[in-house]
Amino acid sequence: MYDELLQQLLAQEEELQLPYFNHELAWELGCLIKAGAEEINAAVSFEIYALEQILFSYALPGTVKDHQEWLRRKRQSVLRFGHCSYYLGQYNASKNRDFEAQPHLDPREYCGHGGSFPLRIKNTGLIGAVTVSGVPQEIDHKLAVDALRDLIKK
């Protein structure tokens, strides 16, 4: 059950690497996420974090303050472990353990719930994360991935 999903998530991480990244692309990516969320009526908060700062942040109507905390914890997990937060949670579930219950992690700082995806520049490495929170983790993850895929196609 987990093997196929984990392979799919790793393939997405390999596929969705950018040739470059800047403030303009952060804006475009944020707008793509907003459009995708509005299309499915998802009340989500999201952010684009790169170059050691939040370059884009938005909360659609119906969101709550707690979403901001989820964004931070998901992003921190991606930045620390270099994989999408959905992968981290599912990988640990495949090992019959809870990501947040690991003794070396503070669950107030990290979480393994889907919705944060690494921003990587091809042949360079991890530069940040795009993070969505507010709906089930599979949909949070899909909103981030679909927007990144659309951005790369442009």
Side-chain angles (χ1 to χ4, degrees):
M1 170 179 158
Y2 288 106
D3 287 343
E4 186 178 327
L5 176 59
L6 293 173
Q7 289 175 5
Q8 177 186 10
L9 295 171
L10 290 174
Q12 287 175 346
E13 290 181 9
E14 183 65 30
E15 170 199 354
L16 299 175
Q17 296 185 44
L18 300 156
Y20 68 96
F21 197 78
N22 59 27
H23 291 73
E24 267 309 304
L25 286 181
W27 177 263
E28 287 182 48
L29 183 56
C31 291
L32 288 167
I33 294 170
K34 180 179 183 287
E38 288 174 335
E39 190 173 300
I40 61 170
N41 293 317
V44 295
S45 296
F46 55 93
E47 69 172 33
I48 315 301
Y49 178 93
L51 313 172
E52 298 187 19
Q53 59 186 322
I54 296 171
L55 299 177
F56 191 109
S57 178
Y58 192 81
L60 285 153
T63 57
V64 296
K65 181 181 175 186
D66 286 348
H67 291 150
Q68 296 300 314
E69 196 57 27
W70 281 99
L71 290 174
R72 185 186 65 79
R73 291 172 56 224
K74 290 177 184 185
R75 170 182 16 104
Q76 290 304 102
S77 298
V78 170
L79 296 178
R80 179 169 177 180
F81 296 101
H83 286 290
C84 67
S85 57
Y86 194 27
Y87 176 87
L88 296 171
Q90 296 303 300
Y91 174 81
N92 281 278
S94 77
K95 303 293 184 192
N96 293 314
R97 64 182 181 224
D98 183 29
F99 177 80
E100 293 85 1
Q102 295 180 79
H104 65 283
L105 289 178
D106 181 348
R108 294 168 298 185
E109 297 297 319
Y110 301 96
C111 71
H113 296 272
S116 190
F117 197 88
L119 288 175
R120 284 197 175 87
I121 296 177
K122 207 172 247 194
N123 301 319
T124 301
L126 184 67
I127 61 152
V130 52
T131 310
V132 180
S133 185
V135 290
Q137 65 177 341
E138 298 86 358
I139 299 170
D140 282 343
H141 176 83
K142 185 174 180 351
L143 285 167
V145 165
D146 287 352
L148 256 176
R149 191 170 278 130
D150 289 347
L151 182 69
I152 289 170
K153 283 180 185 175
K154 284 187 169 188

